[in-house]
Amino acid sequence: MKIIFASHNQKKAEEIRSILPDGLTLLTLQDLHLKEEIPEDEPTIEGNSAFKAQWVFAHFGLPCFADDTGLEVSALNGAPGVHSARYAGEEKSSEANMDKVLSKLAKINDRKARFRTVISLIMEGDEKQFEG
């Protein structure tokens, strides 16, 4: 059975392939020759994950899954959250994003934070979401 991972991230794909059972073939967007980025314009991590999975399913008709992850800092009311990848600007600079978070936390002692990932899976006509 083939399943599409709605991502261009080959490192993530290899990690996933290493744990898949026999008989399951993982395809990425690169395997499907899709070069464009799927929009991530939804206001929530759940929304982005669902949108990407639904977009891939609508275009390719195969079982698929998509993920979205955000850093949620308690003292920043959950920010950057869904905006984590572009927190410091559209160029998606991890270093600039970290610098911005740290500058906002400069005078704050409570630095509790978590990375939250939501995976949307579409298989056999059903869509499920998983969070971790």
Side-chain angles (χ1 to χ4, degrees):
M1 179 176 135
K2 293 179 181 178
I3 187 165
I4 301 169
F5 176 34
S7 178
H8 290 288
N9 188 324
Q10 292 304 305
K11 185 173 180 176
K12 278 188 191 178
E14 287 308 314
E15 290 175 7
I16 294 166
R17 282 186 181 108
S18 74
I19 62 170
L20 286 179
D22 291 338
L24 200 54
T25 301
L26 184 72
L27 302 173
T28 65
L29 299 178
Q30 285 181 313
D31 296 324
L32 300 169
H33 307 290
L34 182 69
K35 295 187 187 322
E36 68 186 275
E37 291 288 331
I38 300 170
E40 295 186 40
D41 300 332
E42 298 298 318
T44 64
I45 293 169
E46 294 86 351
N48 276 338
S49 175
F51 180 85
K52 290 187 286 188
Q54 292 162 4
W55 191 97
V56 167
F57 186 75
H59 284 80
F60 298 102
L62 290 172
C64 63
F65 65 97
D67 72 314
D68 197 37
T69 298
L71 173 67
E72 298 175 335
V73 180
S74 297
L76 301 179
N77 297 316
V82 72
H83 305 290
S84 293
R86 295 175 182 83
Y87 193 50
E90 287 300 313
E91 68 279 357
K92 293 171 70 170
S93 166
S94 294
E95 189 171 314
N97 291 337
M98 286 186 282
D99 288 345
K100 183 173 180 178
V101 167
L102 291 173
S103 73
K104 288 185 174 271
L105 292 174
K107 296 181 181 178
I108 298 173
N109 290 328
D110 176 10
R111 293 186 172 201
K112 284 185 277 182
R114 68 178 182 160
F115 277 105
R116 188 165 66 94
T117 298
V118 175
I119 296 173
S120 294
L121 170 70
I122 300 177
M123 186 175 277
E124 298 176 1
D126 286 331
E127 181 175 351
K128 304 271 190 228
Q129 282 196 327
F130 307 90
E131 179 178 330

